[in-house]
Amino acid sequence: MAATHDVIIIGLGGMGSAAAHHLAARGLGVLGLERYGPAHNRGSSHGGSRIIRQAYFEDPAYVPLLLRSYELFEKLERDTGRRIATLCGGTMIGNSGSRVFAGSLRSARQWDLPYEVLDAAEVRRRFPTLTPAEDEWALYEQRAGLVRPEATVAAHIQLALGAGADLRFEEPAVRWEVLEGGRGVRVYTADEVHTAEHLVVCPGAWAPELLADVGVPFTVERQIMYWFHPHGGTGPFDPERQPVYVWEDAEGTQIYGFPAIEGPEGGAKVAFFRKGSVCTPQTIDRTVHDEEVAAMAAQLRPRIPRLPGRLRKAVTCMYTTTPDEHFVLARHPVHPDAVTVACGFSGHGFKFVPVVGEIVADLVQDGTTGHPITLFDPRRRSAAPAAAEEHALEETAR
């Protein structure tokens, strides 16, 4: 049996790598286990860019975490010298009653965030690539933008290793168990058995396998990210001219997209927001089909006429979500003295990566955190998003 550690972390993607950094920086002996290589493209923490924003349409309760996350992204850049964030601004577009526009406006007002409301004509004037309909509005947030997921993961790995963490790649955890008495854990890989005082499980799309007893049903979905060469070139999509955007149509379908951050040959990335097909990590179809490209192109043409242009590439990733679309971030409800869980983030989680790492470190060390995370308790009633939203508002008001 391998030596005992203070903490074992299963999964070193976005959340697990951040947890490894924060725990190791606090002087704990950390063993990290990852089934693939560092900053890999087989899960959810890849694709070159993720939107960051503060006027959060999902729920105002997230805003304090976002403010702290922004601080930690800036610190991560300073500490590693890596370029991680680009604050190019962001437009949240939809009709006046849409979740994207109305929800963003609600969060901005509740937390006194800086923002502008733009009508369709003003959006077209300021951002000529975007052509909203006359009844659509945009909340513009100057502090919105993007972060680079692979660079973020690599930065956290760099800092964790520098603080003494033992990070093992291509070494997946097969199963784990809590030791008799409920304190301490044993984790099995193909070749070794590791023990620790505490376990952190950040499994991404492997949550249904590794956290079956947490009491939350997880759904894993196949998602597609597309990169198109705009008609006439990428100049108008330069980050100095093109904001990130989330756009909701009258039927509630949402797309999101980015400026062209990879240079003239890189294209502009776009994707549907939560319009995937159920899969597992073992059964996901990694091929992107012609009809899927056509569906994305049809959504783009009336809204961003310079797109779709020519498809440069399209790749798949996986979302792992809960019924109410909120995270699971807490001590394990069955094994609170030995296990912390961080999962169910997909669709809107990457912007929280650094603060989740900080929260996990708090939970491991102290069993609690000063950050507002009651919304993410796995014991919440999560059958309906409306009920969870009401709970979130109550938490925010406290």
Side-chain angles (χ1 to χ4, degrees), residues 97-383:
S98 66
R99 186 185 185 200
V100 166
F101 174 76
S104 299
L105 184 61
R106 176 187 177 201
S107 279
R109 288 173 171 171
Q110 180 167 327
W111 290 99
D112 196 26
L113 302 172
Y115 70 94
E116 297 177 70
V117 172
L118 311 179
D119 63 17
E122 182 65 9
V123 172
R124 292 192 293 266
R125 185 188 71 80
R126 291 173 60 170
F127 310 113
T129 59
L130 309 178
T131 58
E134 291 302 323
D135 65 342
E136 291 183 317
W137 297 81
L139 181 139
Y140 176 70
E141 182 182 352
Q142 188 175 11
R143 290 278 292 166
L146 62 94
V147 292
R148 294 160 176 81
E150 292 91 344
T152 302
V153 173
H156 279 132
I157 289 172
Q158 173 188 333
L159 294 178
L161 290 171
D166 179 6
L167 305 184
R168 303 187 185 184
F169 298 94
E170 310 291 344
E171 189 172 336
V174 176
R175 65 184 179 91
W176 60 269
E177 63 187 14
V178 175
L179 301 180
E180 186 176 356
R183 294 183 179 274
V185 294
R186 187 179 292 121
V187 178
Y188 297 82
T189 67
D191 300 316
E192 290 190 74
V193 181
H194 304 280
T195 60
E197 295 180 12
H198 202 94
L199 173 66
V200 174
V201 189
C202 304
W206 287 263
E209 301 171 27
L210 291 171
L211 291 173
D213 61 347
V214 81
V216 177
F218 299 101
T219 300
V220 179
E221 292 184 349
R222 170 183 176 270
Q223 303 287 339
I224 307 170
M225 299 173 282
Y226 304 84
W227 285 259
F228 289 99
H229 279 294
H231 295 293
T234 58
F237 290 84
D238 185 89
E240 298 296 323
R241 305 168 67 183
Q242 171 72 35
V244 299
Y245 54 88
V246 181
W247 203 322
E248 181 176 339
D249 67 16
E251 287 72 45
T253 300
Q254 298 171 3
I255 62 172
Y256 65 94
F258 300 82
I261 63 171
E262 300 175 17
E265 297 304 315
K269 177 184 166 185
V270 296
F272 284 105
F273 189 54
R274 301 193 184 281
K275 191 182 179 183
S277 56
V278 175
C279 69
T280 70
Q282 295 77 28
T283 63
I284 182 174
D285 180 2
R286 297 285 182 180
T287 301
V288 178
H289 303 279
D290 290 345
E291 60 270 23
E292 294 173 320
V293 178
M296 184 77 254
Q299 193 75 17
L300 289 171
R301 287 191 186 99
R303 294 168 178 81
I304 311 175
R306 287 181 177 269
L307 296 179
R310 176 171 58 87
L311 180 70
R312 176 181 175 264
K313 67 176 179 179
V315 300
T316 59
C317 71
M318 290 180 286
Y319 278 11
T320 308
T321 60
T322 64
D324 60 12
E325 298 177 358
H326 295 305
F327 311 150
V328 174
L329 181 56
R331 286 284 187 106
H332 195 294
V334 182
H335 312 291
D337 293 328
V339 184
T340 294
V341 296
C343 54
F345 295 98
S346 296
H348 63 130
F350 202 88
K351 57 185 70 64
F352 298 91
V353 158
V355 73
V356 167
E358 187 172 68
I359 290 167
V360 168
D362 290 344
L363 292 174
V364 170
Q365 282 196 306
D366 306 322
T368 187
T369 179
H371 292 292
I373 63 167
T374 303
L375 178 60
F376 311 135
D377 192 319
R379 295 164 295 186
R380 68 187 184 264
R381 292 182 299 170
S382 60

Side-chain angles (χ1 to χ4, degrees), residues 19-37:
H21 157 51
H22 283 278
L23 286 163
R26 298 184 186 190
L28 277 72
V30 174
L31 171 66
L33 301 173
E34 168 57 52
R35 69 177 56 239
Y36 298 116

